[in-house]
Amino acid sequence: MPEHAAHFVIECENAPGPAVLVCEHASNDFPSPWGGLGLNDAQRQAHIAWDPGALGLARELAQRLGAPMLHGTASRLIYDLNRPPHSPAAMPERSEVHEIPGNLGLSTEERLRRTEAIYIPFHAALSDLLARRLAVGQRPVLITVHSFSRIYFGQTREVEFGILHDADDRLARAVAARDVGLETRLNEPYSVADGVTHTLARNAMPLGLASVMLEIRNDLLARSQVSMAERLAPVLQAAIEEVA
Amino acid sequence: MPEHAAHFVIECENAPGPAVLVCEHASNDFPSPWGGLGLNDAQRQAHIAWDPGALGLARELAQRLGAPMLHGTASRLIYDLNRPPHSPAAMPERSEVHEIPGNLGLSTEERLRRTEAIYIPFHAALSDLLARRLAVGQRPVLITVHSFSRIYFGQTREVEFGILHDADDRLARAVAARDVGLETRLNEPYSVADGVTHTLARNAMPLGLASVMLEIRNDLLARSQVSMAERLAPVLQAAIEEVA
C-alpha cells in the first residue's frame, strides 16, 4: 500500500440529513508499512486497538439518520485520530495495561510520517465535508461514535451510555434529556478533561456547529448493533431537531 | 487557470522559527474564472478588496522571525479566507459602502465552487503546516497580519495598531504589554464579536496554540512596511518567548 493511501473511508458522502457521523476508532487493522506494532493477536483484537462495535453502530445510525459517515481504517494504536500530533496518546507507548512495542521511542520522522499519512488526511476530509455543506446552506451537526470497555484497569464500569461534549454542550444536553433505557451519564466514562473531544474541538467548534461524542459500552454492542441503533436513532433525531 | 489551481502561496515553508504567519487578505488580484466582479478600478484598488500593505509587512516580519508565511492570492471579495462558508461576509454582497455586483444573489453552486477552490485548500494547507510542526515536537504560535483603513464609513480612526484575540488571549496580552510607540488598542478596530478571528479559531484554538491577529492602520504601512516590521518584530519575538 503506498504511503499516501487514504486510511479512512467516507460512506454515503452525499446523504442529505443534518448529521455528519464520525467513527475514529472503527478499525483494528494494522496496515503496512506499520504492521502489528509487536502486539499479539489478543491485543490486536482488544479494545486498546479499536472501539469494538462502534463502526457497526455508526453505520446503522448513519442509515437511520440519512447521514454521511467517515471512519478510520487503521488501528488507533498506529495513530489515534481523536488526538492532535503532539499528544502522547496520538501514538501511545502504553494503552491501559499494555505496552505497545512498535510505539516505543518513536523518531520525529516516524511521528511526522504517521501524522501526514493518517491524521492530516482524515481531518482534512471531515473539515471539507462540513465546509461544503455549510457552503450550500446546510447547518450540519457532528456526532462521533465510540465504544468503551466494561472492565478498565480491573474496575467494572456501571455506565452504559456516555454523552460527552466539548465547550458547546447543546447537543449533548438535548440527547441526555431523553430516556433511552440505558444507564446514561453526561461526560462519563471520559470527558473533555481526558482530551477525548479533539475531533469535536477541531471540526465543529470553529464553525459554530453543535456536536456530541457518544460512548456505548462495548458488551452491549456485542449483543446487537442494530438494536442499539434502533434505540438511539430516534433520540438523536429529536435532539438534532431541538438544537437546529 | 484551472479551477483547482491553488489560490495561496506558502513562503519559507521550512523556516525554523516558532511563529507561523498568515496574511489572508494579501491580494487584490481577481483571477479567472471570477474576474473583477463588476467593480471599477478604484474599487479593486481599495481596502474593500484587500488589506493594502499587509503582505509586505507579513513578509518582512516572517524574515525577521524566521517564520513560514501563508498568504492568499485572490481578493477577499471573491472569498474572504477569514470567514467560514456560511458567513454572509465570506462572499459579501456589500463591503463598507460598496455594492459588489458579482456577489449579488450567488447560487449555492457558485458558493460551493468558491469554497472548494479558495477556502478549503487554504485552511487545509495552514492546518497541515501546524500539524507537521507539532508532530516533530515544535510548538508553533499563529500570527495573522492585517491592515485597516483610517477612514471607515466616513469616520476617522485614531487607533494605529490593533491586537485582536479569539478565546485564547495569552499572546495578544503579551504583545499589548509592550510599547511599540503606536496608538495601540486591544480588540480594536475589530474584535471576536465581529467574526474576524476565524483563522485563529479554526487553526490555533483546537490545537491549544497561542495566537494573535495584528491590525495595522494602512496609512502607516503605505509609508514603510520595512520600518513597521523593524518596530514590531522585536516585540513579537519577546511576546512569543513569554508565552512559550
Side-chain angles (χ1 to χ4, degrees):
Chain A
M1 183 181 288
E3 197 165 339
H4 59 276
H7 295 290
F8 67 87
V9 168
I10 305 179
E11 300 184 6
C12 306
E13 183 163 359
N14 297 313
V20 170
L21 266 58
V22 168
C23 189
E24 301 99 319
H25 304 154
S27 174
N28 68 336
D29 192 26
F30 288 81
S32 63
W34 300 287
L37 302 179
L39 300 167
N40 62 38
D41 284 353
Q43 290 172 315
R44 292 202 302 270
Q45 296 297 323
H47 74 92
I48 60 168
W50 62 324
D51 283 355
L55 176 60
L57 175 61
R59 197 171 268 144
E60 294 292 336
L61 285 174
Q63 189 180 341
R64 285 164 179 77
L65 297 172
M69 193 269 286
L70 172 64
H71 61 91
T73 58
S75 169
R76 66 170 156 201
L77 294 177
I78 298 175
Y79 192 107
D80 185 330
L81 291 164
N82 198 24
R83 296 293 190 291
H86 54 303
S87 167
M91 297 163 255
E93 296 198 332
R94 294 189 68 81
S95 182
E96 203 196 7
V97 299
H98 303 270
E99 184 177 85
I100 317 300
N103 287 352
L104 297 178
L106 289 183
S107 66
T108 55
E109 291 74 14
E110 177 58 16
R111 297 184 69 86
L112 181 60
R113 179 193 211 184
R114 295 191 196 179
T115 300
E116 290 182 331
I118 302 177
Y119 174 82
I120 288 176
F122 181 89
H123 286 279
L126 176 53
S127 179
D128 294 2
L129 199 161
L130 294 170
R132 288 197 298 270
R133 286 179 177 241
L134 288 170
V136 299
Q138 298 176 24
R139 191 79 178 172
V141 304
L142 179 61
I143 300 175
T144 65
V145 180
H146 294 252
S147 73
F148 64 95
S149 183
R150 183 159 178 263
I151 310 290
Y152 192 63
F153 282 109
Q155 301 294 310
T156 301
R157 287 159 160 167
E158 293 305 316
V159 54
E160 295 177 316
F161 178 36
I163 304 166
L164 285 57
H165 60 79
D166 195 70
D168 179 344
D169 66 357
R170 287 175 293 161
L171 187 55
R173 292 191 181 279
V175 175
R178 290 167 164 82
D179 182 20
V180 294
L182 297 169
E183 186 62 39
T184 301
R185 310 272 173 82
L186 200 60
N187 297 312
E188 289 188 31
Y190 308 107
S191 79
V192 62
D194 302 301
V196 300
T197 57
H198 178 63
T199 296
L200 309 184
R202 172 160 176 161
N203 298 285
M205 291 297 303
L207 296 169
L209 305 179
S211 62
V212 68
M213 175 175 176
L214 307 179
E215 284 274 12
I216 295 87
R217 213 173 66 194
N218 60 29
D219 58 318
L220 305 177
L221 294 179
R223 284 181 225 151
S224 172
Q225 293 144 35
V226 171
S227 65
M228 184 60 74
E230 284 172 351
R231 184 189 289 265
L232 295 181
V235 165
L236 295 174
Q237 188 71 54
I240 292 164
E241 285 165 14
E242 182 182 318
V243 303
Chain B
M1 182 181 289
E3 198 164 338
H4 59 275
H7 295 291
F8 67 87
V9 168
I10 305 179
E11 300 183 6
C12 305
E13 183 163 359
N14 297 313
V20 170
L21 266 59
V22 168
C23 190
E24 301 99 320
H25 304 153
S27 174
N28 68 335
D29 193 25
F30 289 81
S32 62
W34 301 288
L37 303 179
L39 300 167
N40 62 38
D41 284 353
Q43 290 172 315
R44 292 202 301 269
Q45 296 298 322
H47 73 93
I48 60 168
W50 63 325
D51 283 355
L55 176 59
L57 174 62
R59 198 171 267 147
E60 294 292 335
L61 285 174
Q63 190 179 341
R64 285 164 180 77
L65 297 173
M69 194 268 287
L70 172 64
H71 60 91
T73 57
S75 169
R76 66 170 156 203
L77 293 178
I78 298 175
Y79 192 107
D80 186 331
L81 291 164
N82 197 24
R83 296 293 190 289
H86 53 304
S87 167
M91 297 162 254
E93 295 198 333
R94 296 189 67 82
S95 180
E96 203 199 4
V97 298
H98 303 270
E99 185 177 85
I100 317 301
N103 287 352
L104 297 178
L106 289 183
S107 66
T108 56
E109 290 76 12
E110 176 59 14
R111 296 185 70 85
L112 181 60
R113 177 194 213 185
R114 295 191 195 180
T115 299
E116 290 182 331
I118 302 177
Y119 173 82
I120 287 176
F122 181 89
H123 286 279
L126 175 54
S127 179
D128 294 1
L129 199 161
L130 294 169
R132 288 196 300 269
R133 287 180 176 241
L134 288 169
V136 299
Q138 298 176 25
R139 192 78 178 173
V141 304
L142 179 61
I143 300 176
T144 65
V145 180
H146 293 252
S147 74
F148 63 94
S149 184
R150 183 160 178 262
I151 311 290
Y152 192 64
F153 281 111
Q155 301 294 310
T156 301
R157 287 158 160 169
E158 294 305 315
V159 54
E160 295 176 317
F161 177 37
I163 304 167
L164 284 57
H165 61 79
D166 194 70
D168 179 343
D169 66 357
R170 288 175 292 160
L171 187 55
R173 293 193 180 276
V175 175
R178 291 169 164 81
D179 183 20
V180 293
L182 297 168
E183 185 63 38
T184 301
R185 311 272 174 80
L186 200 61
N187 297 314
E188 289 189 30
Y190 307 107
S191 80
V192 62
D194 302 302
V196 299
T197 57
H198 178 63
T199 295
L200 309 185
R202 174 162 174 159
N203 298 285
M205 291 297 302
L207 297 169
L209 305 179
S211 63
V212 68
M213 175 176 176
L214 308 179
E215 284 273 12
I216 295 87
R217 212 173 66 195
N218 61 28
D219 57 320
L220 304 177
L221 294 179
R223 285 181 222 153
S224 171
Q225 292 145 35
V226 171
S227 65
M228 184 60 76
E230 285 172 349
R231 183 189 290 265
L232 295 181
V235 165
L236 295 174
Q237 187 70 55
I240 292 165
E241 286 165 15
E242 182 182 317
V243 305

